[in-house]
Amino acid sequence: MYCTFLSGLFATLMHRSEATSGQLAAARMAAFIVVGSIPAGLIGFLFKSEIEALFSTDNLAMVLVFLFITGLIMFLTRYMQAGAKELSQGKSFAIGLAQAFAILPGISRSGSTIGLGILLGLKREEAARFSFLLSLPVIFWRNP
């Protein structure tokens, strides 16, 4: 999967006029993944000790509040109309912020990213696909 994105990205950068529509789409998605990964990377790097402290305390009330927020996000998406908007750099950054917010205990990463994507007007399938793809850099960075 990464090979498709990377080959599309390089083909587009090197020979944009000769790139196929599939390569252009792959390059565009790779750019969205990079943009969407910036918030989690920055927050994880800048607030590493504070985030680790959240997991070392036994603050069940905080986890309960965050679980409630996750449930609220999921509840709100249930009543959204099917979206028709396309993914953009701004939307990918916003979804990346949702992923960064999911660093907190009790916040579902997939629930928050898919939910925000739907709330931003993406089709459910596109929101789920982007959420999955956006998780890959974080997973591979954390588990080399």
Side-chain angles (χ1 to χ4, degrees), residues 2-140:
Y2 272 129
C3 294
T4 304
F5 292 131
L6 293 176
S7 68
L9 182 62
F10 288 126
T12 303
L13 292 175
M14 302 304 277
H15 308 285
R16 183 167 178 88
S17 62
E18 299 172 13
T20 65
S21 63
Q23 289 172 328
L24 290 173
R28 192 167 173 229
M29 183 58 75
F32 291 152
I33 292 168
V34 169
V35 169
S37 297
I38 291 171
L42 283 176
I43 289 174
F45 179 75
L46 295 174
F47 300 105
K48 182 179 182 193
S49 59
E50 290 85 353
I51 292 167
E52 288 175 352
L54 289 173
F55 286 94
S56 65
T57 62
D58 291 328
N59 192 348
L60 294 179
M62 178 184 63
V63 175
L64 177 67
V65 168
F66 291 146
L67 283 170
F68 179 78
I69 291 170
T70 296
L72 183 63
I73 292 169
M74 299 308 293
F75 179 77
L76 291 173
T77 62
R78 184 166 178 84
Y79 297 101
M80 294 294 298
Q81 296 290 330
K85 296 181 181 175
E86 290 192 20
L87 191 61
S88 65
Q89 287 188 4
K91 287 179 186 157
S92 63
F93 188 80
I95 294 170
L97 286 173
Q99 178 170 271
F101 184 62
I103 292 171
L104 300 171
I107 299 290
S108 166
R109 192 210 63 79
S110 62
S112 61
T113 55
I114 293 170
L116 185 60
I118 292 169
L119 292 173
L120 290 173
L122 299 178
K123 293 178 183 175
R124 294 178 187 277
E125 296 81 15
E126 186 175 1
R129 180 174 180 256
F130 184 67
S131 173
F132 170 73
L133 294 173
L134 190 59
S135 73
L136 295 177
V138 174
I139 291 169
F140 288 129

